[in-house]
Amino acid sequence: MLERVVIWIGGAALITATAIDTVAVIGRHVNLPLRGSIELMQPAVLVVGSCALIAAAIAGNHARIRLLIDRLGPPARRVVDRLSDLGTALFCLVLLTGSVWLALDLWSGHETSELLGVPWRVMRLFANVSLVAVLVVTFARAAGRKRP
Amino acid sequence: MILATPETGLVGVAVLLVLLLAGVRIGVALGLVGFGGLAVVLGFEPAVIKSGVVLMDTLTRYELGTLPLFLFMAHVFFAVDASKDLFNAAAKMLGHRRGGLAYASVAGCAGFGTINGSSLATAATIGLVALPEMRQRGYADTLATGSVAAGGTLGQMIPPSGALIVFGIIAEVSIGELFTAAIIPGITQALLYFVVIWLLVRLRPGLAPAGERAPWSERLRALARIWEVIVLICLVIGGIAMGWISPSEAAAVGAAIALAVAAVRRKLGVAMLYKACEETLRTSGMIYLIIIGALIFSVFIGVTGLAAAAGEAVTGLGLGTYGTLLLVAALLLLLGSVLDGLALMLLTTPILLPIVTATGMTPIWLGIFITRAMEIGFVHPPLGMNLYVIQGVAKDVPIGRVFRGVAPFLASDFLHLLMLIFVPAMVYWLPEVLR
């Protein structure tokens, strides 16, 4: 369920990003420039990236070097896999802590983009909620459940 | 800041290598070592805040949007069988020559490389259509598997290239200039593979029989099936090289054209769109995590001064430009035997950048050179990911035979790497002319 929602939200953002830059390119060549196209792209790219992190965590297909672990027996490989999951969760926790720290510091500043006034605190909130989802998925995997 | 020394950086690199070989995810290993190192050198609070800053910068970075959009374009093209059309067109044009389907495989890989930036995906998709055809026509397994495995690496070099996008972000150089600089190395790499095939079938004609010549009506029909791809190549690569559009815009326009092609071919549906988005997001997520980790790691390396110290140490050896570059090549090939391509790039870029620029080469040259070295790792034992991908397609061919098949192409890869060192104009000329 979570996977389908994430793919559709991320997919919608991908198509939105495709449309924004395509319209911007056409607009530039017919003298109808799209104002603040980069500022419009930023939230679209953020949603794509955040959903991508969750989708990759659910699929469990983060790149690893398997030269040595493929030579281990199944019990040892399970231990290594679990440690790798815990390492991933720890790194996500570091990123989340740093990102929440910044979001809290800047929350009352009401940061917005220059031309269109895109609210950055909403973007930070979306990124942080996504990281929480990645953390939950990774912990669930480490605890032995493949999918939440 | 007492611990901000090159020695601390060296310990970090050693820990990173251990974590990578222990199977920790590449992005996580880079990020944890970078964060841990920053915490030791600068303190916990700055390290956490820097990690948060890198995360948000990466997720909102306009240039990085290029990556998922190019991946989206490639996945939409997968769904409309563009790989099959590209190989068929090349096979109709070249299939009658001795070894013609092997040439067609390399040409198909080069063509598919223009809509896709991954070696593995190129080898797998072209392999699926080319290998059964070559084996059915009596080609030797070694030539069939070797040509596709080697040809697959063109996906990484010919723009748009995922590896070059990642390098551009890490080294903070223009992705557009990297793409333009990669055009001649990509073409010369493909030409060298053609020479290898020509030599092989000339020396051992039994490797590949000549086929029947397809009539021009069939050839034109096959070419008509790929006209959209040709338009796309002109728009995406030509547009970036001429400076008409930025790489991010080219990726968006490419994705829009891919969707239009899918609609015209009546293959644009909800299921197809979902599949394309799913594959795009999964791969992007993997690469995003690696980039975030690599950026934190490179901040740590920068703070310790390891890169500058390594640069001074290598300069102190007095090897001269070519000696230094040959040493760099040897190091990349050695590490490429045990490290995955992206890990190799992200681990070595912050350290090699000052060493290479001290010899007079530019970061753009290093980007092309590292990508080339990464590609060799894809067809080079013991990792040789492309070889295992090809064996997955042709399951009854032993891996040893696939390794033997790729060996002549590997020799041409080493020659190409030397050409990049001794004739750097291969990299510099086109961006200079088009600037």
Side-chain angles (χ1 to χ4, degrees), chain A residues 15-34:
Chain A
I15 293 167
T16 307
T18 302
I20 292 169
D21 253 358
T22 306
V23 169
V25 171
I26 295 170
R28 199 169 62 229
H29 287 92
V30 296
N31 260 345
L32 284 170
L34 181 64

Side-chain angles (χ1 to χ4, degrees), chain B residues 183-208:
Chain B
I183 292 174
I184 290 181
I187 292 171
T188 47
Q189 183 186 345
L191 289 176
L192 278 178
Y193 290 161
F194 282 174
V195 171
V196 169
I197 296 167
W198 181 80
L199 281 173
L200 285 174
V201 295
R202 205 170 165 81
L203 295 173
R204 293 175 59 198
L207 285 176

Side-chain angles (χ1 to χ4, degrees), chain B residues 13 57 86 106 170 181 187 196 204 208 219 232 255 269 319 322 328 354 360 388 393 398 429:
Chain B
V13 171
D57 277 356
L86 282 164
V106 173
I170 301 296
I187 292 171
V196 169
R204 293 175 59 198
R219 294 184 186 193
L232 192 78
L319 297 172
Y322 294 129
V328 166
Y388 291 99
V393 178
W429 181 74

